[in-house]
Amino acid sequence: MRTFLRDNALSLVFLGIFLATLVAQAFVGHADNNEELRRHDQAVISLGEFVTSSAFVVDVAENWQSEFLQFFVFILATVWLVQRGSPESKQPGDEGRGDDEDQLVGAYARPDSPRWARASGWRRSLYGNSLLIWMGAIFVLSWFAQSLAGLVVANDEAAQHGEAAETWLGYVASPEFWNRTLQNWQSEFLAVGCMVAFSIYLRQRGSAESKPVGLPHAETAVESD
């Protein structure tokens, strides 16, 4: 058990932080939502009703879709683009998908390589792009969930003001939807861009996201291997 915890500490810690913050968001959001209901002389709802409501789902999905879009774009960009000096980048000159020998696939696979890395045809192609596919799928599903939950919330508010309900297409084309969406997107891409650029000149000793402290600014970390 101790070995398991040590070998998986990074994943487990972030899973724990995620669950703790999600639970905290549920409690705080529930309290805020009930305050809003009281201000409008409406009956408050239980925590269970809140976490299954569109109001909670839209806030959660809105953040998830922007995070997974960030990773999707970053993974795809780092296949073809480089940034000299950044540990987030491959070495200049290594742009592209790499050959079979570099990727340890097919005839170059090791005995302990994943089974589908040793396979041929569609299985190797699917596995060779599985990270990008999975991130993209979660983004699309989260974006769709955000749009559906957001539509319910928007139509509830419209009903309270005696206005007509919107269709799904009308909502996803509305300024309100894209204002919420783009607020998240711009912050995610700013964070990624800053990480790529700052890591050229700044260091964090012991972090896998940083170059060695004494490595020159212009040298990409993999160049020192």
Side-chain angles (χ1 to χ4, degrees):
M1 176 59 71
R2 181 176 298 178
T3 300
F4 173 81
L5 293 176
R6 182 202 64 194
D7 291 349
N8 298 280
L10 193 58
S11 296
L12 292 172
V13 165
F14 274 93
L15 176 61
I17 295 173
F18 160 70
L19 293 175
T21 53
L22 184 63
V23 170
Q25 178 188 354
F27 278 100
V28 174
H30 175 239
D32 181 60
N33 185 76
N34 279 345
E35 286 183 8
E36 184 70 19
L37 291 174
R38 291 188 189 97
R39 282 196 291 269
H40 290 84
D41 297 321
Q42 297 177 354
V44 299
I45 61 176
S46 68
L47 178 63
E49 289 174 314
F50 174 70
V51 298
T52 56
S53 70
S54 296
F56 181 71
V57 172
V58 70
D59 287 339
V60 173
E62 183 179 300
N63 286 283
W64 285 17
Q65 58 90 4
S66 63
E67 295 290 348
F68 284 99
L69 174 64
Q70 170 200 153
F71 285 117
F72 176 85
V73 174
F74 186 59
I75 293 166
L76 181 61
T78 54
V79 175
W80 305 103
L81 306 177
V82 298
Q83 175 57 61
R84 178 175 291 278
S86 175
E88 303 297 322
S89 168
K90 295 186 292 188
Q91 182 176 343
D94 286 347
E95 297 90 337
R97 293 169 52 82
D99 57 28
D100 287 355
E101 184 175 6
D102 292 333
Q103 295 296 312
L104 301 176
V105 298
Y108 300 99
R110 302 186 332 191
D112 58 350
S113 294
R115 184 176 61 182
W116 279 26
R118 298 192 298 270
S120 59
W122 67 269
R123 289 183 296 169
R124 187 197 305 174
S125 179
L126 180 64
Y127 188 68
N129 296 281
S130 56
L131 181 60
L132 190 67
I133 292 170
W134 189 243
M135 292 295 182
I138 298 176
F139 159 67
V140 171
L141 291 173
S142 299
W143 182 89
F144 188 59
Q146 175 201 348
S147 69
L148 292 179
L151 175 62
V152 173
V153 172
N155 282 341
D156 285 346
E157 293 178 353
Q160 292 174 13
H161 293 85
E163 300 172 354
E166 284 190 279
T167 64
W168 180 79
L169 286 176
Y171 176 68
V172 297
S174 68
E176 176 190 355
F177 176 78
W178 285 105
N179 180 49
R180 292 175 62 101
T181 300
L182 292 173
Q183 284 181 45
N184 285 277
W185 288 10
Q186 57 87 12
S187 63
E188 302 298 345
F189 290 123
L190 173 63
V192 172
C194 287
M195 185 65 183
V196 171
F198 291 171
S199 61
I200 299 172
Y201 303 103
L202 306 178
R203 309 284 191 273
Q204 178 53 58
R205 184 168 183 159
S207 174
E209 297 302 309
S210 170
K211 296 186 292 188
V213 177
L215 203 66
H217 296 322
E219 192 169 342
T220 307
V222 294
E223 295 175 349
S224 63
D225 295 341

